[in-house]
Amino acid sequence: MMFSKAVVALALAGAAEAFGPSLLAGLPSIKATRPNGMQLRMHSEGSVSRRSLLHGAAGAAVLSSGVAGASAAKDPKDLVRLENGVSFQVTKKNDGFLSGVALGVADGDFVIVDYIAYLRDGTIFDNTVKRGKSVALQIGKKQTIPGLEAGLFGMKAGEQRRIFVPARLGYGDRGVCFDDKTKGCLVPPNTDLVYDVTLVRVGPAPT
């Protein structure tokens, strides 16, 4: 299904806002701790608005299994393993009336996603559901870490996946650390990551 120019424009605007420097205002100084081409996104976890609470309710099913559920797949048979080392489980399928003809995410598409990001020990280090602000990006433009992007391919709107990202396709051997070493790292070096992702919307690149 083709999206209108207005939807594509919205996705572009959302991408610009989601990855713009304004979101980093007021945060402590942070090292550029990411491999070349990766987009570093960090946010403060401030007060929770009414909208955030509504989004939190929508994400309750994901959190109800507890953070320990992010540490490993319960049944390896459910895993889809990609050649680059990323793997994922489909935790909710798009089973709507038009699911059979809905297009999956492909290179160049604009997508809007919600996610909860964990370290492998279950610690949450980023949460768009709590912030009440989905993330918009274009696939293939290096606007997020490679492992997360790889796990989005083929997803349909409304689908949910748990994506397992090896450290080398996440934040690598540098992690995401504060300049003040006493504050440690949001993502320690060489840390595997887990993302519980909901694809909110997908639209093809304009031709």
Side-chain angles (χ1 to χ4, degrees), residues 3-198:
F3 278 66
S4 66
K5 292 182 179 180
V7 172
V8 173
L10 177 63
L12 281 170
E17 183 178 2
F19 301 102
S22 61
L23 290 179
L24 301 180
L27 289 178
S29 177
I30 300 168
K31 294 180 180 179
T33 53
R34 64 191 186 280
N36 291 336
M38 291 186 184
Q39 182 69 37
L40 176 62
R41 301 184 57 260
M42 297 176 62
H43 308 269
S44 61
E45 297 288 354
S47 59
V48 180
S49 64
R50 179 182 177 187
R51 183 184 177 193
S52 298
L53 290 173
L54 290 174
H55 278 267
V62 174
L63 291 174
S64 63
S65 59
V67 293
S71 62
K74 293 182 178 179
D75 185 357
K77 294 180 181 179
D78 294 336
L79 283 178
V80 176
R81 303 177 187 273
L82 306 180
E83 292 183 359
N84 62 3
V86 172
S87 59
F88 65 86
Q89 291 173 301
V90 177
T91 55
K92 179 182 178 182
K93 295 182 179 180
N94 176 343
D95 53 4
F97 179 71
L98 297 176
S99 60
V101 296
L103 298 177
V105 173
D107 192 39
D109 284 350
F110 293 93
V111 300
I112 299 176
V113 299
D114 270 319
Y115 64 75
I116 302 174
Y118 309 84
L119 307 181
R120 287 296 293 233
D121 66 2
T123 301
I124 295 175
F125 69 90
D126 198 4
N127 187 340
T128 69
V129 177
K130 183 176 180 179
R131 287 198 303 273
K133 190 164 188 172
S134 303
V135 171
L137 56 94
Q138 186 177 12
I139 300 298
K141 298 299 183 181
K142 297 182 179 180
Q143 294 175 345
T144 187
I145 58 173
L148 176 57
E149 183 176 81
L152 296 176
F153 276 88
M155 285 189 77
K156 298 181 179 182
E159 184 177 331
Q160 295 178 357
R161 290 182 181 181
R162 174 164 287 175
I163 302 172
F164 299 86
V165 178
R168 61 184 175 80
L169 295 177
Y171 293 103
D173 59 3
R174 301 183 69 179
V176 179
C177 301
F178 292 93
D179 281 333
D180 184 349
K181 294 183 178 180
T182 63
K183 295 182 178 180
C185 302
L186 289 182
V187 179
N190 299 311
T191 300
D192 295 340
L193 307 174
V194 181
Y195 285 81
D196 281 331
V197 179
T198 299

